[in-house]
Amino acid sequence: MKACPNCGEEVIGREGKKFCSTYCKSNFHYERRKEKQSSLFKKIDKQLKLNRRILKNYNRAGKATVREEVLNSHGFNPNNFTHYWKSKKGEVYLFCYEYGFLSFTDAKGTRKYILITWQQHMEN
């Protein structure tokens, strides 16, 4: 007695038959392809969502300053962002959806991020 690798039911039929039905065969291969497909798009999308969650968590007041290592310890990756905005001062803020960040080094040499939330006036 041979068991179907998809559902575990008994396989009846010719010698060498692996699946109990065409549905099980199709479903088995579909699920395997789905597991293997960790496409670049999915990886970037996952990182963008993680970045957004981290920025949202540390920027509850609309503007905040956080040390770089704090965000990085949670998996933040500044190389993944959705868009940017250039301020009147010429500073370029990178955004993960509606949460933005600007990297800078303070007077003591500590790398930090200024965190902001997208505002209506930034659309111009």
Side-chain angles (χ1 to χ4, degrees):
M1 178 178 124
K2 232 179 175 183
C4 175
N6 186 59
C7 67
E9 294 287 321
E10 181 181 356
V11 177
I12 301 170
R14 66 172 173 78
E15 188 177 321
K17 187 175 178 183
K18 294 181 182 178
F19 299 93
C20 65
S21 68
T22 55
Y23 170 81
C24 276
K25 180 179 179 183
S26 177
N27 189 55
F28 177 81
H29 291 294
Y30 171 77
E31 292 296 329
R32 285 193 52 196
R33 269 193 309 276
K34 197 166 79 171
E35 289 172 7
K36 286 182 182 179
Q37 288 180 346
S38 185
S39 69
L40 179 61
F41 170 78
K42 287 181 183 179
K43 288 178 185 176
I44 292 171
D45 189 51
K46 184 178 178 182
Q47 184 63 54
L48 285 171
K49 289 176 181 176
L50 175 63
N51 282 357
R52 181 190 179 278
R53 206 168 34 250
I54 294 167
L55 291 171
K56 181 181 179 183
N57 186 48
Y58 281 95
N59 186 13
R60 295 179 189 252
K63 187 170 183 180
T65 304
V66 182
R67 289 189 324 264
E68 182 181 64
E69 68 263 10
V70 172
L71 296 185
N72 291 347
S73 69
H74 294 289
F76 183 76
N77 183 346
N79 296 323
N80 294 103
F81 56 93
T82 56
H83 61 286
Y84 67 92
W85 173 72
K86 191 172 184 178
S87 72
K88 290 180 182 176
K89 293 180 184 179
E91 301 166 322
V92 178
Y93 286 84
L94 303 177
F95 279 81
C96 290
Y97 305 102
E98 73 273 28
Y99 297 100
F101 60 96
L102 172 70
S103 179
F104 74 99
T105 305
D106 69 5
K108 296 179 182 178
T110 306
R111 302 275 305 149
K112 293 184 178 182
Y113 290 115
I114 295 175
L115 309 182
I116 62 170
T117 303
W118 184 262
Q119 303 293 316
Q120 194 72 25
H121 74 274
M122 295 175 178
E123 291 180 14
N124 299 331

